[in-house]
């Protein structure tokens, strides 16, 4: 399987709700990172998983959590949604630890109302 | 604190001419740099990278220059083509532990036919 696939492409949630975003990485890509891109900004690093363990985190609160599965899929979970969580969420994967750069998915556009 | 800055939000260039996109960083620990291109409704696509042991890396029409003393890098596109019109992000990371890439806010390039 080639490419990085994210689902859903668009999502609308209400403040206070919880959301799960999904990502399917390329086979053999042991590293997956999640980024948040607000309008007019560059992607901001949320966290990274390597072989199913979190090995790096950006400046995001604990209500942002993730999982990586052995089949190269992963999830981003956000609890207690806030209006400022509205953004494009990008999943990116890499075969190694990421130094060679990432392959990004097309993202999930989350709107919190 | 914006550790990676792209001070030009937009740039217009005539087809066939050179496009120069600039990026500045503040963290002296950064030693690996990437450029990504992003079309609307798509995820960022990896373009070219450079490590701090080099001052230039070339790939076809794309060349990245790194000036470590000035903490500045630039992406040159020669010749520019209408299909190059996109948002360009530079990203930087320190090659220790997690390759947590810090992205700039992007420069929108428009190549005029």
């Amino acid at each position: 399987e080639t490419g990085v696939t994210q689902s859903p492409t668009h999502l609308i949630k209400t403040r206070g709700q919880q959301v799960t975003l999904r990502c399917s990485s390329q086979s053999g890509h042991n590293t997956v990172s999640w980024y948040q891109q607000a309008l007019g900004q560059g992607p901001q690093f949320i966290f990274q998983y390597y072989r199913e363990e979190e090995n790096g985190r950006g400046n995001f609160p604990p209500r942002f959590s993730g999982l990586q599965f052995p089949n190269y899929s992963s999830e981003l979970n956000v609890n207690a949604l806030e209006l400022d969580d509205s953004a494009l969420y990008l999943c990116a994967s890499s075969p190694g630890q990421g130094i060679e750069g990432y392959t990004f998915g097309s993202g999930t556009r989350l709107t919190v109302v | 604190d914006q550790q990676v800055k792209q001070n030009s939000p937009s740039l217009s260039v005539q087809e066939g001419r050179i496009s120069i996109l600039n990026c500045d960083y503040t963290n002296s620990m950064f030693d690996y740099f990437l450029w990504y291109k992003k079309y609307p409704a798509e995820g960022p696509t990896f373009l070219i990278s450079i490590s701090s042991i080099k001052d230039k890396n070339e790939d076809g029409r794309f060349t990245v220059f790194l000036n470590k003393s000035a903490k500045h890098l630039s992406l040159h596109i020669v010749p520019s083509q209408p299909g190059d019109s996109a948002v360009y992000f530079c990203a930087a990371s320190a090659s220790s532990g997690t390759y947590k890439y810090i992205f700039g806010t992007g420069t929108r390039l428009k190549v005029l036919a």
Side-chain angles (χ1 to χ4, degrees):
Chain A
E1 183 181 340
T2 60
V4 176
T5 306
Q6 292 187 244
S7 62
T9 54
H10 294 82
L11 196 55
I12 299 175
K13 287 285 191 178
T14 303
R15 189 172 49 183
Q17 283 188 313
Q18 179 267 343
V19 69
T20 297
L21 309 182
R22 293 183 171 83
C23 174
S24 178
S25 305
Q26 289 183 226
S27 179
H29 279 205
N30 295 308
T31 298
V32 65
S33 295
W34 285 88
Y35 285 81
Q36 180 196 66
Q37 186 177 10
L39 204 60
Q41 300 296 316
Q44 285 201 55
F45 177 78
I46 302 174
F47 46 58
Q48 177 170 291
Y49 280 78
Y50 177 69
R51 293 188 170 173
E52 301 161 51
E53 289 196 11
E54 184 181 301
N55 72 340
R57 191 175 184 92
N59 295 327
F60 281 81
R63 59 189 184 85
F64 285 77
S65 63
L67 285 171
Q68 185 186 26
F69 302 102
N71 65 351
Y72 305 108
S73 66
S74 60
E75 291 180 355
L76 165 65
N77 299 289
V78 187
N79 293 323
L81 283 166
E82 300 177 0
L83 297 178
D84 284 349
D85 295 333
S86 296
L88 179 69
Y89 288 86
L90 294 161
C91 168
S93 70
S94 172
Q97 297 261 17
I99 189 63
E100 60 283 307
Y102 290 90
T103 300
F104 278 85
S106 299
T108 294
R109 172 74 60 190
L110 173 65
T111 302
V112 182
V113 297
Chain B
D1 176 30
Q2 192 72 22
Q3 296 186 66
V4 178
K5 298 178 185 177
Q6 293 177 257
N7 291 319
S8 298
S10 64
L11 175 68
S12 290
V13 172
Q14 283 295 132
E15 182 180 5
R17 305 296 291 266
I18 185 172
S19 295
I20 300 177
L21 296 99
N22 294 304
C23 179
D24 296 293
Y25 60 97
T26 57
N27 189 337
S28 57
M29 297 298 292
F30 289 153
D31 57 3
Y32 206 82
F33 306 88
L34 308 174
W35 282 93
Y36 280 87
K37 177 171 73 173
K38 188 178 186 302
Y39 293 118
E42 294 183 12
T45 304
F46 172 74
L47 261 181
I48 193 168
S49 64
I50 189 167
S51 75
S52 59
I53 61 172
K54 292 185 171 184
D55 53 19
K56 176 183 173 182
N57 190 26
E58 205 168 344
D59 184 2
R61 297 186 297 114
F62 302 91
T63 303
V64 56
F65 295 92
L66 175 63
N67 182 332
K68 290 185 288 292
S69 60
K71 296 192 180 67
H72 176 83
L73 62 155
S74 60
L75 175 68
H76 292 210
I77 307 174
V78 183
S80 301
Q81 299 173 352
D84 296 329
S85 297
V87 178
Y88 289 78
F89 294 98
C90 68
S93 178
S95 59
S96 57
T98 306
Y99 292 108
K100 179 179 86 173
Y101 280 98
I102 308 298
F103 280 76
T105 52
T107 296
R108 183 177 300 277
L109 173 66
K110 189 170 184 179
V111 180
L112 307 169

